[in-house]
Amino acid sequence: VGLRVPCARVGAILPGDFKIKAAKVRSIESFGMLCSARELGISEEASGLLVLPDDAPVGTGIRDYLGLDDKLFTLKLTPNRADCLSLLGVAREVAALTGADLALPAQAEIPATIADTRAVELHAPEACPRYCGRILRGINPRAATPDWMKQRVERSGIRSISAVVDITNYVMLELGQPLHAFDNQKLAGAIQVRMPKAGERLLLLNEQTITPDATTLLICDEEKVLAMAGIMGGEDSGVTDATTDVFLESAFFVPDAVAGKARALGFSSDASYRFERGVDFEGCSRAIERATQLVQEICGGQAGPMLEAAAPDHLPARKPIPLRRSRAERILGIPLEANQIATLLSGLDFNFQQQGEEFVVTPPSWRFDMEIEEDLIEDLARIHGYDNIPAAAPRAAQNLLPQGEDSRPVLRLKRLVAARDFQEVINYSFVDAAWEADFCANPDPVVLSNPIASQMGVMRSSMIGGLVANLSYNLKRRTSRVRVFEIGRCFSRVPSGPSQQVPGFEQPVRLGALIAGPTQSEQWGTATRNADFYDAKGDVEALLAPATPRFEKLEHPALHPGRSAAIVLDGRRVGFVGELHPLWVQKYELGAAPVVFELDLDVLVSRTLPAFSAPSRFPAVVRDLALLVASDLQVQKLLDGLKAAAPAIVKEVSLFDKYQGKGVEPDQKSLAFRVVMQDTARTLADAEVDAALQTMINAAADQYAAKLRT
């Protein structure tokens, strides 16, 4: 009787788009619903109806009564602006941006009414150079957190626990300084800030038991571990509903001593989030005083003197930074008067001394991001207003750089490849280690120390993996014809040399391409056939023209052993071309084998200039030469031998037929060559032509046991 609770009447819409409608419940008409805090969306936990105080005015809107129309600002900060992780920091920033006066609440020093203290020993001052603590006795452990504080804490994303814990969280939100409260009766002797001893364990407040490593800073007493410094307190020393004596701590922990420790254990905390970014090392005592004031107002109790342990040599140095007006104007591109710079620095609450056109600025203790002159100039631009800096187009005197005819720009090369019906792709240089093992047989790839994903843990030494992934992606989307290319850098380990950009590593730029599916889109005028080795070989020859590459037998882990070749130009191996190995076709579910080729970019962008030679006015003589050779003889070797033995009148030797079958021994093959002979000064005689052919036949017989086929 007389209970006062929120009531959602017909027509109300609760969180989750839950609409209240008139209904009958057990034959009784219902014109609304009494609500819990969870149903109103103001709490995650609710054991029943939200019971309001006895003086709650009946008929008042619950939004007005509970202040639910409060404004919530969500700030997403970069790691360098940890000073804005508090109401105080945001107030400083707003004052600097708007020019309004910053009115900080006065914080009086709380007088000590008891003499109780607890000693503090800093055994790791390089990680914790300042630690403040105070004992409060006789507090009411069951005092309720005021509604105004509870609302502000919860609306800031922190769960309300108890009055003392809520006060430490509230001060952290207000001043940016994390605090922790220990049950003083559970402490033994002095507080020690140190690194862990062998075998020490700690049960955290989140019920997780950890074994800290040698680099984890701990808060301990003379008997046990109390907390992970700057991250989370321990369960065995935390305050409870029976705690009447509290030891409040406020410390400065060096960011490097805290960074990454919580993430390594699989959780995060509001304290670690602030400490690893940097908190105001001069604000420890202020936070203790503010927390003491709130504890006494809400929970009562008597406060002892505040004790501070510090190692000044290990506190962050606030080194003066010189700021030149001319440098600021040059970087920002706008004129800045000396008094204008002084006004901006004053608004940021920076201490400075003006020496004519130059300033010597000492950053405040809460600005860890101020280290060099450019940091100050960046803040000047921010406070001055980016919108107040005109976006002037750059002006510069530019001269066209000479470009020799023997070079080809990369953009022109891309257009040439695109003209051969290829589409450009851009893949990551980070690849799966399995790709390096499969396509490159690379047991020692360049491993990334901090990969962006587990399947992108090494650097590629070939373009094949990314191109095969492009093909697989398209095949899964029913794209049967794929012709893609990429220009990018590859990475591999090699012995150190003087010409390397990075000693011990080779980083060549290459062009890789892949052909799969029909040679042309389906049409009525041409029979459909899949692209093969010779299609890719033709593309390679077109890209290297007017140079003429050689193709030699190749064993490559990614390619079919009988359908691949090394590309050789001027005696140097510049790439490879071939059909993908059947093993990888099956593993990567490609269906039919694609053809790939890869070329060094430097041979593609450099080209030989054509040289004029007068065409002969006399007719050419063409003869066909059929030779029987061993079936395992490489055609290129025989072709090289014929060209080497050919007299000067022989202008061209080319293979036009290969035959094995009836009339030819099983261990032999017939190769037919077309020989073109011509002289620029006279007509060739038959005897001269016959002599040239016989010279070539004799050389083939001597070197390769070739016989003239009749």
Side-chain angles (χ1 to χ4, degrees), residues 322-382:
L323 173 62
R324 295 163 291 175
R325 186 175 73 89
S326 58
R327 177 67 172 165
E329 289 182 339
R330 180 181 176 186
I331 290 180
L332 300 183
I334 58 174
L336 288 173
E337 299 297 333
N339 60 349
Q340 189 177 3
I341 294 177
T343 301
L344 295 175
L345 293 175
S346 299
L348 289 166
D349 205 10
F350 286 5
N351 293 324
F352 64 90
Q353 293 180 349
Q354 186 172 351
Q355 301 173 356
E357 296 291 299
E358 294 188 1
F359 297 80
V360 179
V361 184
T362 302
S365 58
W366 58 83
R367 291 298 297 270
F368 282 77
D369 57 325
M370 293 290 115
E371 295 183 355
I372 59 176
E373 185 178 24
E374 284 70 18
D375 294 332
L376 294 171
I377 297 173
E378 179 185 2
D379 253 27
L380 292 180
R382 190 170 55 82

Side-chain angles (χ1 to χ4, degrees), residues 571-624:
R572 169 194 166 194
R573 178 173 165 179
V574 297
F576 58 83
V577 58
E579 191 177 285
L580 198 66
H581 197 289
L583 181 63
W584 312 133
V585 174
Q586 181 180 10
K587 177 178 178 179
Y588 292 96
E589 301 177 351
L590 303 179
V595 186
V596 297
F597 65 84
E598 193 170 295
L599 289 163
D600 291 339
L601 187 66
D602 59 347
V603 300
L604 292 170
V605 297
S606 61
R607 56 184 177 177
T608 304
L609 293 177
F612 173 78
S613 61
S616 176
R617 296 189 300 171
F618 299 94
V621 178
V622 180
R623 292 286 188 271
D624 292 342

Side-chain angles (χ1 to χ4, degrees), residues 178-296:
L179 299 98
H180 188 68
F182 295 105
D183 188 329
N184 191 62
Q185 295 181 353
K186 298 178 181 178
L187 305 182
I191 296 294
Q192 300 177 354
V193 185
R194 60 172 174 80
M195 295 299 176
K197 299 176 182 177
E200 284 188 316
R201 295 169 65 83
L202 172 63
L203 175 62
L204 297 173
L205 288 171
N206 63 1
E207 299 181 355
Q208 179 178 348
T209 301
I210 65 165
T211 302
D213 60 33
T215 62
T216 302
L217 188 66
L218 300 177
I219 308 298
C220 312
D221 61 14
E222 295 180 357
E223 296 180 354
K224 59 187 177 297
V225 180
L226 304 176
M228 282 182 69
I231 298 175
M232 186 174 290
E235 180 70 26
D236 296 334
S237 60
V239 296
T240 65
D241 290 343
T243 301
T244 58
D245 298 342
V246 170
F247 179 75
L248 275 179
E249 73 155 21
S250 174
F252 171 73
F253 301 110
V254 175
D256 289 344
V258 180
K261 301 298 183 184
R263 289 190 298 275
L265 296 173
F267 66 89
S268 181
S269 68
D270 294 290
S272 66
Y273 187 81
R274 287 162 172 78
F275 277 123
E276 62 188 7
R277 286 161 174 77
V279 301
D280 183 3
F281 58 88
E282 297 290 350
C284 298
S285 58
R286 178 185 176 89
I288 285 283
E289 297 288 4
R290 175 61 169 154
T292 302
Q293 174 192 344
L294 292 173
V295 169
Q296 289 186 329

